[in-house]
Amino acid sequence: MSELEKSSSYIAKSFQFASGYLQNKGNGKFEIKSLPKEAQLVPVYGILINDFDQDGYLDVVLSGNKYGTEVGVVSHNASKGILLNGDGKGEFKVISAMESGHRITGDSRCAIALKIKDRQAYFFGRNSDSLKAYVLEIQSNGNSFIDVLPNMVKAIITYKDGTGRLQEFYYRSSYLSQSSRTLLLNGNESKIVFYDFLGKEVAVHEL
């Protein structure tokens, strides 16, 4: 590259290569937090966020790997899928595949959650391979679904013990894939308030 080309080039620098998330600290402040080291082994493509263990805190499922690397570079295939249990304070515990039963091998890409009758199902697409599917069985403690309307972007969930959390609803949130716009309840909720894209309250469910 000549000096003239260099002088007219756009130069950018990267400082963060870890898979992570932005933690909302309030008052317009955000903090970048890296996920556990097990989530750093390969590129992450599929992401599902839900309360998988139904303890009132959001958890994360990740899938990834990359087989289409450049010539002379080995495939990035060290991941079998990762389940991260959240504690509601921004920290995550890695749950082994042996314990969770979650095992996504291959060149995994999209990840979606679909409501199928009275069950929540999770699908993982894999390049040149079969679709991987898991089903979350509905328990007897009051599990049910609420349909999320197109203009709803988030919900504030209050539980019977007085605790609460926020859950957001996305379009095309995991490698250009789309999950069902439903909210899975575990029977411990007392009130759910839905908001639109302008932050306006659009629906209230008293349970």
Side-chain angles (χ1 to χ4, degrees):
M1 180 181 291
S2 68
E3 291 301 322
L4 178 60
E5 290 174 320
K6 289 181 180 179
S7 65
S8 60
S9 298
Y10 171 75
I11 300 175
K13 295 182 179 180
S14 297
F15 300 96
Q16 177 69 20
F17 293 94
S19 294
Y21 72 99
L22 289 173
Q23 184 178 31
N24 191 340
K25 309 294 286 188
N27 298 318
K29 302 291 184 181
F30 292 84
E31 179 183 351
I32 299 176
K33 301 197 70 173
S34 297
L35 294 173
K37 61 182 180 180
E38 289 83 354
Q40 312 300 335
L41 299 177
V42 300
V44 171
Y45 293 104
I47 303 173
L48 291 175
I49 301 174
N50 211 330
D51 182 11
F52 295 104
D53 58 0
Q54 300 188 15
D55 63 352
Y57 304 125
L58 289 176
D59 311 306
V60 181
V61 164
L62 306 175
S63 63
N65 293 328
K66 183 177 181 180
Y67 284 30
T69 55
E70 297 180 2
V71 176
V73 179
V74 298
S75 298
H76 307 311
N77 59 359
S79 176
K80 302 297 186 293
I82 301 169
L83 171 60
L84 303 175
N85 273 8
D87 64 357
K89 300 177 182 179
E91 300 297 330
F92 294 93
K93 176 184 177 183
V94 178
I95 305 301
S96 68
M98 181 72 71
E99 182 178 352
S100 69
H102 171 73
R103 183 179 175 83
I104 306 299
T105 58
D107 197 7
S108 183
R109 287 296 180 269
C110 68
I112 60 173
L114 295 180
K115 175 190 173 185
I116 301 178
K117 294 185 178 180
D118 61 346
R119 295 182 178 183
Q120 183 87 302
Y122 303 96
F123 295 88
F124 299 85
R126 300 181 293 172
N127 286 335
S128 302
D129 206 336
S130 59
L131 191 69
K132 193 82 170 182
Y134 293 87
V135 174
L136 180 64
E137 296 287 349
I138 299 301
Q139 306 298 317
S140 59
N141 62 348
N143 292 125
S144 60
F145 292 90
I146 293 179
D147 291 330
V148 177
L149 300 180
N151 67 326
M152 294 176 175
V153 67
K154 68 178 181 180
I156 301 296
I157 303 170
T158 302
Y159 292 99
K160 295 176 182 178
D161 62 2
T163 61
R165 68 174 176 87
L166 178 148
Q167 182 155 339
E168 297 178 328
F169 309 105
Y170 308 102
Y171 287 102
R172 301 290 182 92
S173 62
S174 180
Y175 204 77
L176 301 181
S177 55
Q178 178 61 52
S179 296
S180 298
R181 288 179 60 81
T182 55
L183 176 63
L184 175 64
L185 309 181
N186 62 23
N188 296 317
E189 300 85 359
S190 61
K191 183 179 181 180
I192 302 174
V193 182
F194 290 91
Y195 297 86
D196 66 12
F197 293 89
L198 298 177
K200 180 181 177 181
E201 182 181 304
V202 292
V204 178
H205 291 259
E206 301 279 356
L207 303 167

